[in-house]
Amino acid sequence: QKEVEQNSGPLSVPEGAIASLNCTYSDRVSQSFFWYRQYSGKSPELIMSIYSNGDKEDGRFTAQLNKASQYVSLLIRDSQPSDSATYLCAASGGYNKLIFGAGTRLAVHP
Amino acid sequence: EAGVTQFPSHSVIEKGQTVTLRCDPISGHDNLYWYRRVMGKEIKFLLHFVKESKQDESGMPNNRFLAERTGGTYSTLKVQPAELEDSGVYFCASSQDLENSPLHFGNGTRLTVT
């Protein structure tokens, strides 16, 4: 089993809908998790971090962590075409050594 | 504030040649990381500098890869001799602190070995 797993997509949602991105992780990673957004040819950009069980909201983004199920998700409300990108789930291996999933491509269509 | 900059943005070399990638971290960031994404795979950690010292180089694939950070400012990653499987995108990142500090990535260097 990979340490961090994501469905590669593409996930296609209509504009204005909620996009739900999911990630599972193994016992081998620590308990700090991050969501990065990456536009084609650009650098990964941190959009959310989550360290404890439950939900964390920031604007249109909500990160959810369920340690019992080893599951992290990112919800994007009121999706916009500009949200179309690859979303990378990452876990910390300590000292900012990140363990990435393969990324999920999100396509928001008008 | 300037972000993390990487040079070159693209490099195409032949198998057996040498390539040197450069990374300039955000000014004042002691922590500098190299990551790599090969085609169809996840972004993977290569190594971590704290100032000029290698904190963790557990992700370096083999001894054809040499990373340096003289003076604790910019870093270089040299691949010598390059092999076909070295093709991919090499990302550099920097952070101010060791833990729970945002990791800022550069745009990457796309390396193609033919």
PDB file of all heavy atoms in Angstrom, chain B residues 61-97:
ATOM      1  N   PRO B  61      18.454   9.232  -5.175  1.00  0.00           N
ATOM      2  CA  PRO B  61      18.337   7.913  -5.809  1.00  0.00           C
ATOM      3  C   PRO B  61      19.639   7.117  -5.827  1.00  0.00           C
ATOM      4  O   PRO B  61      19.618   5.901  -5.631  1.00  0.00           O
ATOM      5  CB  PRO B  61      17.887   8.226  -7.242  1.00  0.00           C
ATOM      6  CG  PRO B  61      17.541   9.663  -7.282  1.00  0.00           C
ATOM      7  CD  PRO B  61      18.181  10.331  -6.126  1.00  0.00           C
ATOM      8  N   ASN B  62      20.749   7.793  -6.089  1.00  0.00           N
ATOM      9  CA  ASN B  62      22.034   7.087  -6.193  1.00  0.00           C
ATOM     10  C   ASN B  62      23.148   8.134  -6.218  1.00  0.00           C
ATOM     11  O   ASN B  62      22.890   9.334  -6.135  1.00  0.00           O
ATOM     12  CB  ASN B  62      22.067   6.229  -7.471  1.00  0.00           C
ATOM     13  CG  ASN B  62      21.660   7.012  -8.693  1.00  0.00           C
ATOM     14  OD1 ASN B  62      22.308   8.001  -9.054  1.00  0.00           O
ATOM     15  ND2 ASN B  62      20.576   6.608  -9.347  1.00  0.00           N
ATOM     16  N   ASN B  63      24.376   7.664  -6.340  1.00  0.00           N
ATOM     17  CA  ASN B  63      25.508   8.589  -6.243  1.00  0.00           C
ATOM     18  C   ASN B  63      25.764   9.381  -7.525  1.00  0.00           C
ATOM     19  O   ASN B  63      26.752  10.114  -7.619  1.00  0.00           O
ATOM     20  CB  ASN B  63      26.768   7.850  -5.803  1.00  0.00           C
ATOM     21  CG  ASN B  63      27.144   6.741  -6.772  1.00  0.00           C
ATOM     22  OD1 ASN B  63      26.599   6.654  -7.870  1.00  0.00           O
ATOM     23  ND2 ASN B  63      28.072   5.890  -6.385  1.00  0.00           N
ATOM     24  N   ARG B  64      24.886   9.269  -8.503  1.00  0.00           N
ATOM     25  CA  ARG B  64      25.008  10.149  -9.669  1.00  0.00           C
ATOM     26  C   ARG B  64      24.425  11.535  -9.369  1.00  0.00           C
ATOM     27  O   ARG B  64      24.588  12.456 -10.157  1.00  0.00           O
ATOM     28  CB  ARG B  64      24.273   9.540 -10.869  1.00  0.00           C
ATOM     29  CG  ARG B  64      24.909   8.229 -11.358  1.00  0.00           C
ATOM     30  CD  ARG B  64      24.242   7.711 -12.632  1.00  0.00           C
ATOM     31  NE  ARG B  64      22.857   7.313 -12.410  1.00  0.00           N
ATOM     32  CZ  ARG B  64      21.811   8.027 -12.760  1.00  0.00           C
ATOM     33  NH1 ARG B  64      21.965   9.192 -13.363  1.00  0.00           N
ATOM     34  NH2 ARG B  64      20.587   7.577 -12.536  1.00  0.00           N
ATOM     35  N   PHE B  65      23.769  11.656  -8.251  1.00  0.00           N
ATOM     36  CA  PHE B  65      23.141  12.913  -7.853  1.00  0.00           C
ATOM     37  C   PHE B  65      23.966  13.549  -6.734  1.00  0.00           C
ATOM     38  O   PHE B  65      24.252  12.900  -5.729  1.00  0.00           O
ATOM     39  CB  PHE B  65      21.712  12.667  -7.346  1.00  0.00           C
ATOM     40  CG  PHE B  65      20.744  12.293  -8.436  1.00  0.00           C
ATOM     41  CD1 PHE B  65      20.743  11.014  -8.968  1.00  0.00           C
ATOM     42  CD2 PHE B  65      19.833  13.227  -8.919  1.00  0.00           C
ATOM     43  CE1 PHE B  65      19.854  10.665  -9.978  1.00  0.00           C
ATOM     44  CE2 PHE B  65      18.941  12.886  -9.917  1.00  0.00           C
ATOM     45  CZ  PHE B  65      18.951  11.606 -10.453  1.00  0.00           C
ATOM     46  N   LEU B  66      24.312  14.824  -6.942  1.00  0.00           N
ATOM     47  CA  LEU B  66      25.076  15.549  -5.931  1.00  0.00           C
ATOM     48  C   LEU B  66      24.435  16.905  -5.694  1.00  0.00           C
ATOM     49  O   LEU B  66      24.298  17.695  -6.622  1.00  0.00           O
ATOM     50  CB  LEU B  66      26.531  15.737  -6.392  1.00  0.00           C
ATOM     51  CG  LEU B  66      27.410  16.578  -5.460  1.00  0.00           C
ATOM     52  CD1 LEU B  66      27.574  15.893  -4.109  1.00  0.00           C
ATOM     53  CD2 LEU B  66      28.771  16.843  -6.097  1.00  0.00           C
ATOM     54  N   ALA B  67      24.066  17.154  -4.467  1.00  0.00           N
ATOM     55  CA  ALA B  67      23.461  18.438  -4.103  1.00  0.00           C
ATOM     56  C   ALA B  67      24.410  19.205  -3.211  1.00  0.00           C
ATOM     57  O   ALA B  67      25.072  18.631  -2.348  1.00  0.00           O
ATOM     58  CB  ALA B  67      22.128  18.227  -3.394  1.00  0.00           C
ATOM     59  N   GLU B  68      24.453  20.515  -3.440  1.00  0.00           N
ATOM     60  CA  GLU B  68      25.301  21.371  -2.622  1.00  0.00           C
ATOM     61  C   GLU B  68      24.563  22.653  -2.283  1.00  0.00           C
ATOM     62  O   GLU B  68      23.675  23.087  -3.031  1.00  0.00           O
ATOM     63  CB  GLU B  68      26.605  21.715  -3.366  1.00  0.00           C
ATOM     64  CG  GLU B  68      27.498  20.508  -3.607  1.00  0.00           C
ATOM     65  CD  GLU B  68      28.771  20.860  -4.347  1.00  0.00           C
ATOM     66  OE1 GLU B  68      28.712  21.662  -5.295  1.00  0.00           O
ATOM     67  OE2 GLU B  68      29.832  20.302  -3.977  1.00  0.00           O
ATOM     68  N   ARG B  69      24.969  23.250  -1.191  1.00  0.00           N
ATOM     69  CA  ARG B  69      24.392  24.533  -0.789  1.00  0.00           C
ATOM     70  C   ARG B  69      25.491  25.317  -0.067  1.00  0.00           C
ATOM     71  O   ARG B  69      25.441  25.523   1.129  1.00  0.00           O
ATOM     72  CB  ARG B  69      23.169  24.366   0.110  1.00  0.00           C
ATOM     73  CG  ARG B  69      22.395  25.669   0.267  1.00  0.00           C
ATOM     74  CD  ARG B  69      21.211  25.515   1.207  1.00  0.00           C
ATOM     75  NE  ARG B  69      20.474  26.769   1.305  1.00  0.00           N
ATOM     76  CZ  ARG B  69      19.570  27.027   2.244  1.00  0.00           C
ATOM     77  NH1 ARG B  69      19.290  26.114   3.164  1.00  0.00           N
ATOM     78  NH2 ARG B  69      18.940  28.174   2.262  1.00  0.00           N
ATOM     79  N   THR B  70      26.441  25.722  -0.824  1.00  0.00           N
ATOM     80  CA  THR B  70      27.575  26.454  -0.280  1.00  0.00           C
ATOM     81  C   THR B  70      27.123  27.797   0.261  1.00  0.00           C
ATOM     82  O   THR B  70      26.418  28.550  -0.425  1.00  0.00           O
ATOM     83  CB  THR B  70      28.653  26.653  -1.363  1.00  0.00           C
ATOM     84  OG1 THR B  70      28.952  25.376  -1.939  1.00  0.00           O
ATOM     85  CG2 THR B  70      29.902  27.245  -0.788  1.00  0.00           C
ATOM     86  N   GLY B  71      27.536  28.104   1.471  1.00  0.00           N
ATOM     87  CA  GLY B  71      27.186  29.391   2.054  1.00  0.00           C
ATOM     88  C   GLY B  71      25.772  29.476   2.553  1.00  0.00           C
ATOM     89  O   GLY B  71      25.344  30.517   3.068  1.00  0.00           O
ATOM     90  N   GLY B  72      25.019  28.399   2.404  1.00  0.00           N
ATOM     91  CA  GLY B  72      23.662  28.381   2.936  1.00  0.00           C
ATOM     92  C   GLY B  72      22.670  29.242   2.196  1.00  0.00           C
ATOM     93  O   GLY B  72      21.600  29.560   2.722  1.00  0.00           O
ATOM     94  N   THR B  73      23.009  29.625   0.959  1.00  0.00           N
ATOM     95  CA  THR B  73      22.052  30.432   0.189  1.00  0.00           C
ATOM     96  C   THR B  73      21.436  29.576  -0.907  1.00  0.00           C
ATOM     97  O   THR B  73      20.575  28.757  -0.622  1.00  0.00           O
ATOM     98  CB  THR B  73      22.739  31.670  -0.403  1.00  0.00           C
ATOM     99  OG1 THR B  73      23.894  31.245  -1.157  1.00  0.00           O
ATOM    100  CG2 THR B  73      23.173  32.620   0.707  1.00  0.00           C
ATOM    101  N   TYR B  74      21.907  29.742  -2.139  1.00  0.00           N
ATOM    102  CA  TYR B  74      21.322  28.953  -3.220  1.00  0.00           C
ATOM    103  C   TYR B  74      21.858  27.529  -3.179  1.00  0.00           C
ATOM    104  O   TYR B  74      22.858  27.236  -2.515  1.00  0.00           O
ATOM    105  CB  TYR B  74      21.609  29.613  -4.574  1.00  0.00           C
ATOM    106  CG  TYR B  74      23.037  29.518  -5.014  1.00  0.00           C
ATOM    107  CD1 TYR B  74      23.480  28.451  -5.794  1.00  0.00           C
ATOM    108  CD2 TYR B  74      23.954  30.498  -4.669  1.00  0.00           C
ATOM    109  CE1 TYR B  74      24.798  28.361  -6.203  1.00  0.00           C
ATOM    110  CE2 TYR B  74      25.280  30.417  -5.062  1.00  0.00           C
ATOM    111  CZ  TYR B  74      25.699  29.350  -5.826  1.00  0.00           C
ATOM    112  OH  TYR B  74      27.007  29.267  -6.218  1.00  0.00           O
ATOM    113  N   SER B  75      21.172  26.655  -3.890  1.00  0.00           N
ATOM    114  CA  SER B  75      21.576  25.248  -3.948  1.00  0.00           C
ATOM    115  C   SER B  75      21.673  24.800  -5.401  1.00  0.00           C
ATOM    116  O   SER B  75      20.988  25.329  -6.272  1.00  0.00           O
ATOM    117  CB  SER B  75      20.565  24.378  -3.218  1.00  0.00           C
ATOM    118  OG  SER B  75      20.861  23.000  -3.357  1.00  0.00           O
ATOM    119  N   THR B  76      22.533  23.832  -5.624  1.00  0.00           N
ATOM    120  CA  THR B  76      22.619  23.200  -6.936  1.00  0.00           C
ATOM    121  C   THR B  76      22.420  21.701  -6.788  1.00  0.00           C
ATOM    122  O   THR B  76      22.755  21.114  -5.750  1.00  0.00           O
ATOM    123  CB  THR B  76      23.976  23.463  -7.611  1.00  0.00           C
ATOM    124  OG1 THR B  76      25.018  22.979  -6.759  1.00  0.00           O
ATOM    125  CG2 THR B  76      24.176  24.938  -7.901  1.00  0.00           C
ATOM    126  N   LEU B  77      21.845  21.125  -7.812  1.00  0.00           N
ATOM    127  CA  LEU B  77      21.674  19.673  -7.878  1.00  0.00           C
ATOM    128  C   LEU B  77      22.274  19.228  -9.208  1.00  0.00           C
ATOM    129  O   LEU B  77      21.804  19.624 -10.268  1.00  0.00           O
ATOM    130  CB  LEU B  77      20.197  19.301  -7.798  1.00  0.00           C
ATOM    131  CG  LEU B  77      19.858  17.809  -7.888  1.00  0.00           C
ATOM    132  CD1 LEU B  77      20.431  17.046  -6.696  1.00  0.00           C
ATOM    133  CD2 LEU B  77      18.336  17.609  -7.947  1.00  0.00           C
ATOM    134  N   LYS B  78      23.330  18.445  -9.111  1.00  0.00           N
ATOM    135  CA  LYS B  78      24.030  17.989 -10.316  1.00  0.00           C
ATOM    136  C   LYS B  78      23.740  16.521 -10.555  1.00  0.00           C
ATOM    137  O   LYS B  78      23.769  15.713  -9.598  1.00  0.00           O
ATOM    138  CB  LYS B  78      25.539  18.227 -10.176  1.00  0.00           C
ATOM    139  CG  LYS B  78      26.312  17.829 -11.415  1.00  0.00           C
ATOM    140  CD  LYS B  78      27.700  18.454 -11.470  1.00  0.00           C
ATOM    141  CE  LYS B  78      28.661  17.882 -10.485  1.00  0.00           C
ATOM    142  NZ  LYS B  78      30.031  18.419 -10.681  1.00  0.00           N
ATOM    143  N   VAL B  79      23.483  16.188 -11.798  1.00  0.00           N
ATOM    144  CA  VAL B  79      23.262  14.792 -12.182  1.00  0.00           C
ATOM    145  C   VAL B  79      24.367  14.432 -13.171  1.00  0.00           C
ATOM    146  O   VAL B  79      24.507  15.050 -14.222  1.00  0.00           O
ATOM    147  CB  VAL B  79      21.880  14.589 -12.836  1.00  0.00           C
ATOM    148  CG1 VAL B  79      21.647  13.107 -13.114  1.00  0.00           C
ATOM    149  CG2 VAL B  79      20.775  15.149 -11.961  1.00  0.00           C
ATOM    150  N   GLN B  80      25.179  13.444 -12.794  1.00  0.00           N
ATOM    151  CA  GLN B  80      26.339  13.106 -13.602  1.00  0.00           C
ATOM    152  C   GLN B  80      26.714  11.636 -13.425  1.00  0.00           C
ATOM    153  O   GLN B  80      27.054  11.248 -12.294  1.00  0.00           O
ATOM    154  CB  GLN B  80      27.532  13.983 -13.185  1.00  0.00           C
ATOM    155  CG  GLN B  80      28.828  13.703 -13.924  1.00  0.00           C
ATOM    156  CD  GLN B  80      29.993  14.551 -13.427  1.00  0.00           C
ATOM    157  OE1 GLN B  80      30.070  14.893 -12.252  1.00  0.00           O
ATOM    158  NE2 GLN B  80      30.895  14.888 -14.324  1.00  0.00           N
ATOM    159  N   PRO B  81      26.674  10.824 -14.455  1.00  0.00           N
ATOM    160  CA  PRO B  81      26.107  11.081 -15.777  1.00  0.00           C
ATOM    161  C   PRO B  81      24.592  10.847 -15.753  1.00  0.00           C
ATOM    162  O   PRO B  81      24.096   9.988 -15.023  1.00  0.00           O
ATOM    163  CB  PRO B  81      26.794  10.029 -16.649  1.00  0.00           C
ATOM    164  CG  PRO B  81      26.981   8.868 -15.715  1.00  0.00           C
ATOM    165  CD  PRO B  81      27.223   9.466 -14.345  1.00  0.00           C
ATOM    166  N   ALA B  82      23.882  11.601 -16.556  1.00  0.00           N
ATOM    167  CA  ALA B  82      22.422  11.466 -16.588  1.00  0.00           C
ATOM    168  C   ALA B  82      22.003  10.178 -17.288  1.00  0.00           C
ATOM    169  O   ALA B  82      22.641   9.741 -18.251  1.00  0.00           O
ATOM    170  CB  ALA B  82      21.800  12.669 -17.297  1.00  0.00           C
ATOM    171  N   GLU B  83      20.933   9.579 -16.775  1.00  0.00           N
ATOM    172  CA  GLU B  83      20.333   8.392 -17.369  1.00  0.00           C
ATOM    173  C   GLU B  83      18.894   8.716 -17.777  1.00  0.00           C
ATOM    174  O   GLU B  83      18.311   9.697 -17.309  1.00  0.00           O
ATOM    175  CB  GLU B  83      20.337   7.222 -16.373  1.00  0.00           C
ATOM    176  CG  GLU B  83      21.728   6.780 -15.947  1.00  0.00           C
ATOM    177  CD  GLU B  83      22.493   6.060 -17.041  1.00  0.00           C
ATOM    178  OE1 GLU B  83      21.855   5.636 -18.049  1.00  0.00           O
ATOM    179  OE2 GLU B  83      23.712   5.920 -16.909  1.00  0.00           O
ATOM    180  N   LEU B  84      18.335   7.870 -18.628  1.00  0.00           N
ATOM    181  CA  LEU B  84      16.979   8.117 -19.138  1.00  0.00           C
ATOM    182  C   LEU B  84      15.957   8.246 -18.011  1.00  0.00           C
ATOM    183  O   LEU B  84      15.060   9.093 -18.066  1.00  0.00           O
ATOM    184  CB  LEU B  84      16.550   6.997 -20.091  1.00  0.00           C
ATOM    185  CG  LEU B  84      17.383   6.805 -21.365  1.00  0.00           C
ATOM    186  CD1 LEU B  84      16.840   5.628 -22.182  1.00  0.00           C
ATOM    187  CD2 LEU B  84      17.393   8.069 -22.202  1.00  0.00           C
ATOM    188  N   GLU B  85      16.128   7.422 -16.969  1.00  0.00           N
ATOM    189  CA  GLU B  85      15.139   7.410 -15.873  1.00  0.00           C
ATOM    190  C   GLU B  85      15.211   8.643 -14.983  1.00  0.00           C
ATOM    191  O   GLU B  85      14.384   8.808 -14.081  1.00  0.00           O
ATOM    192  CB  GLU B  85      15.297   6.151 -15.015  1.00  0.00           C
ATOM    193  CG  GLU B  85      16.609   6.051 -14.271  1.00  0.00           C
ATOM    194  CD  GLU B  85      17.639   5.214 -15.002  1.00  0.00           C
ATOM    195  OE1 GLU B  85      17.551   5.117 -16.247  1.00  0.00           O
ATOM    196  OE2 GLU B  85      18.539   4.682 -14.323  1.00  0.00           O
ATOM    197  N   ASP B  86      16.202   9.511 -15.249  1.00  0.00           N
ATOM    198  CA  ASP B  86      16.303  10.752 -14.473  1.00  0.00           C
ATOM    199  C   ASP B  86      15.352  11.827 -14.986  1.00  0.00           C
ATOM    200  O   ASP B  86      15.196  12.881 -14.358  1.00  0.00           O
ATOM    201  CB  ASP B  86      17.732  11.297 -14.513  1.00  0.00           C
ATOM    202  CG  ASP B  86      18.745  10.313 -13.952  1.00  0.00           C
ATOM    203  OD1 ASP B  86      18.365   9.488 -13.090  1.00  0.00           O
ATOM    204  OD2 ASP B  86      19.920  10.357 -14.377  1.00  0.00           O
ATOM    205  N   SER B  87      14.726  11.595 -16.114  1.00  0.00           N
ATOM    206  CA  SER B  87      13.789  12.566 -16.680  1.00  0.00           C
ATOM    207  C   SER B  87      12.638  12.797 -15.713  1.00  0.00           C
ATOM    208  O   SER B  87      12.125  11.856 -15.101  1.00  0.00           O
ATOM    209  CB  SER B  87      13.236  12.063 -18.018  1.00  0.00           C
ATOM    210  OG  SER B  87      14.265  11.940 -18.971  1.00  0.00           O
ATOM    211  N   GLY B  88      12.255  14.055 -15.604  1.00  0.00           N
ATOM    212  CA  GLY B  88      11.155  14.398 -14.716  1.00  0.00           C
ATOM    213  C   GLY B  88      11.198  15.880 -14.397  1.00  0.00           C
ATOM    214  O   GLY B  88      11.943  16.640 -15.014  1.00  0.00           O
ATOM    215  N   VAL B  89      10.398  16.275 -13.438  1.00  0.00           N
ATOM    216  CA  VAL B  89      10.400  17.673 -12.999  1.00  0.00           C
ATOM    217  C   VAL B  89      11.018  17.720 -11.613  1.00  0.00           C
ATOM    218  O   VAL B  89      10.587  17.004 -10.706  1.00  0.00           O
ATOM    219  CB  VAL B  89       8.975  18.251 -12.959  1.00  0.00           C
ATOM    220  CG1 VAL B  89       9.028  19.721 -12.521  1.00  0.00           C
ATOM    221  CG2 VAL B  89       8.313  18.133 -14.326  1.00  0.00           C
ATOM    222  N   TYR B  90      12.018  18.554 -11.464  1.00  0.00           N
ATOM    223  CA  TYR B  90      12.740  18.708 -10.198  1.00  0.00           C
ATOM    224  C   TYR B  90      12.269  20.007  -9.535  1.00  0.00           C
ATOM    225  O   TYR B  90      12.424  21.081 -10.100  1.00  0.00           O
ATOM    226  CB  TYR B  90      14.244  18.728 -10.434  1.00  0.00           C
ATOM    227  CG  TYR B  90      14.766  17.372 -10.856  1.00  0.00           C
ATOM    228  CD1 TYR B  90      14.564  16.902 -12.156  1.00  0.00           C
ATOM    229  CD2 TYR B  90      15.423  16.543  -9.951  1.00  0.00           C
ATOM    230  CE1 TYR B  90      15.005  15.637 -12.543  1.00  0.00           C
ATOM    231  CE2 TYR B  90      15.867  15.287 -10.320  1.00  0.00           C
ATOM    232  CZ  TYR B  90      15.651  14.841 -11.618  1.00  0.00           C
ATOM    233  OH  TYR B  90      16.082  13.586 -11.991  1.00  0.00           O
ATOM    234  N   PHE B  91      11.697  19.843  -8.366  1.00  0.00           N
ATOM    235  CA  PHE B  91      11.188  20.993  -7.624  1.00  0.00           C
ATOM    236  C   PHE B  91      12.114  21.315  -6.461  1.00  0.00           C
ATOM    237  O   PHE B  91      12.622  20.418  -5.790  1.00  0.00           O
ATOM    238  CB  PHE B  91       9.797  20.711  -7.051  1.00  0.00           C
ATOM    239  CG  PHE B  91       8.713  20.619  -8.077  1.00  0.00           C
ATOM    240  CD1 PHE B  91       8.220  19.383  -8.471  1.00  0.00           C
ATOM    241  CD2 PHE B  91       8.158  21.759  -8.619  1.00  0.00           C
ATOM    242  CE1 PHE B  91       7.206  19.289  -9.412  1.00  0.00           C
ATOM    243  CE2 PHE B  91       7.143  21.678  -9.559  1.00  0.00           C
ATOM    244  CZ  PHE B  91       6.667  20.441  -9.956  1.00  0.00           C
ATOM    245  N   CYS B  92      12.262  22.588  -6.215  1.00  0.00           N
ATOM    246  CA  CYS B  92      12.946  23.065  -5.034  1.00  0.00           C
ATOM    247  C   CYS B  92      11.908  23.756  -4.163  1.00  0.00           C
ATOM    248  O   CYS B  92      10.934  24.343  -4.674  1.00  0.00           O
ATOM    249  CB  CYS B  92      14.042  24.046  -5.429  1.00  0.00           C
ATOM    250  SG  CYS B  92      14.908  24.806  -4.054  1.00  0.00           S
ATOM    251  N   ALA B  93      12.078  23.668  -2.868  1.00  0.00           N
ATOM    252  CA  ALA B  93      11.164  24.324  -1.940  1.00  0.00           C
ATOM    253  C   ALA B  93      11.950  24.861  -0.761  1.00  0.00           C
ATOM    254  O   ALA B  93      13.038  24.367  -0.457  1.00  0.00           O
ATOM    255  CB  ALA B  93      10.089  23.341  -1.457  1.00  0.00           C
ATOM    256  N   SER B  94      11.399  25.868  -0.110  1.00  0.00           N
ATOM    257  CA  SER B  94      12.064  26.384   1.080  1.00  0.00           C
ATOM    258  C   SER B  94      11.037  26.709   2.152  1.00  0.00           C
ATOM    259  O   SER B  94       9.851  26.925   1.859  1.00  0.00           O
ATOM    260  CB  SER B  94      12.911  27.618   0.760  1.00  0.00           C
ATOM    261  OG  SER B  94      12.122  28.751   0.464  1.00  0.00           O
ATOM    262  N   SER B  95      11.493  26.703   3.385  1.00  0.00           N
ATOM    263  CA  SER B  95      10.630  27.085   4.499  1.00  0.00           C
ATOM    264  C   SER B  95      11.465  27.775   5.555  1.00  0.00           C
ATOM    265  O   SER B  95      12.677  27.586   5.639  1.00  0.00           O
ATOM    266  CB  SER B  95       9.905  25.880   5.096  1.00  0.00           C
ATOM    267  OG  SER B  95      10.810  25.036   5.782  1.00  0.00           O
ATOM    268  N   GLN B  96      10.758  28.568   6.379  1.00  0.00           N
ATOM    269  CA  GLN B  96      11.463  29.326   7.409  1.00  0.00           C
ATOM    270  C   GLN B  96      11.813  28.427   8.597  1.00  0.00           C
ATOM    271  O   GLN B  96      12.917  28.476   9.111  1.00  0.00           O
ATOM    272  CB  GLN B  96      10.580  30.478   7.871  1.00  0.00           C
ATOM    273  CG  GLN B  96      11.282  31.520   8.688  1.00  0.00           C
ATOM    274  CD  GLN B  96      10.545  32.846   8.630  1.00  0.00           C
ATOM    275  OE1 GLN B  96       9.343  32.899   8.433  1.00  0.00           O
ATOM    276  NE2 GLN B  96      11.277  33.931   8.778  1.00  0.00           N
ATOM    277  N   ASP B  97      10.824  27.604   9.012  1.00  0.00           N
ATOM    278  CA  ASP B  97      11.015  26.754  10.175  1.00  0.00           C
ATOM    279  C   ASP B  97      10.969  25.287   9.768  1.00  0.00           C
ATOM    280  O   ASP B  97      10.577  24.946   8.652  1.00  0.00           O
ATOM    281  CB  ASP B  97       9.926  27.032  11.224  1.00  0.00           C
ATOM    282  CG  ASP B  97       9.949  28.468  11.686  1.00  0.00           C
ATOM    283  OD1 ASP B  97      11.055  28.976  11.950  1.00  0.00           O
ATOM    284  OD2 ASP B  97       8.874  29.086  11.758  1.00  0.00           O
TER     285      ASP B  97
END
